[in-house]
Amino acid sequence: MHVVGVAMLLALVRLLRGPSLPDRILALDTLFVSAIAQLVLFGMHLGTAVYFEAALVIAMLGFVGTVVLSKFVLRRDIVE
């Protein structure tokens, strides 16, 4: 869990200092994946399924967020 925490910190640094918008979007996606990994590991450590459901919700929100931001970068318009 410590390695995933370090990965989250590094992704957060890239999100805050990223030189370009695509770098920040990639850092945000990496932060979502790291959060999912952290929740799954924490759920396995405690032996409860609540954290797996939270990881599933974060995965869905992360996917939609990444797609919307990427579409905005490409077209400068979200709704077609």
Side-chain angles (χ1 to χ4, degrees):
M1 291 198 322
H2 298 290
V3 173
V4 177
V6 170
M8 289 177 75
L9 282 175
L10 292 174
L12 185 63
V13 168
R14 177 56 63 192
L15 179 67
L16 296 175
R17 298 183 61 192
S20 66
L21 189 58
D23 289 334
R24 290 180 176 179
I25 292 172
L26 186 61
L28 183 65
D29 193 44
T30 304
L31 195 59
F32 277 125
V33 171
S34 298
I36 292 166
Q38 191 78 297
L39 281 174
V40 168
L41 288 173
F42 197 62
M44 289 172 59
H45 179 70
L46 293 180
T48 180
V50 172
Y51 294 101
F52 298 117
E53 294 171 3
L56 183 64
V57 170
I58 289 176
M60 289 189 295
L61 291 175
F63 174 74
V64 171
T66 302
V67 167
V68 167
L69 287 174
S70 299
K71 194 172 180 180
F72 179 74
V73 167
L74 289 176
R75 300 180 187 166
R76 296 289 179 204
D77 187 20
I78 296 173
V79 179
E80 294 182 57

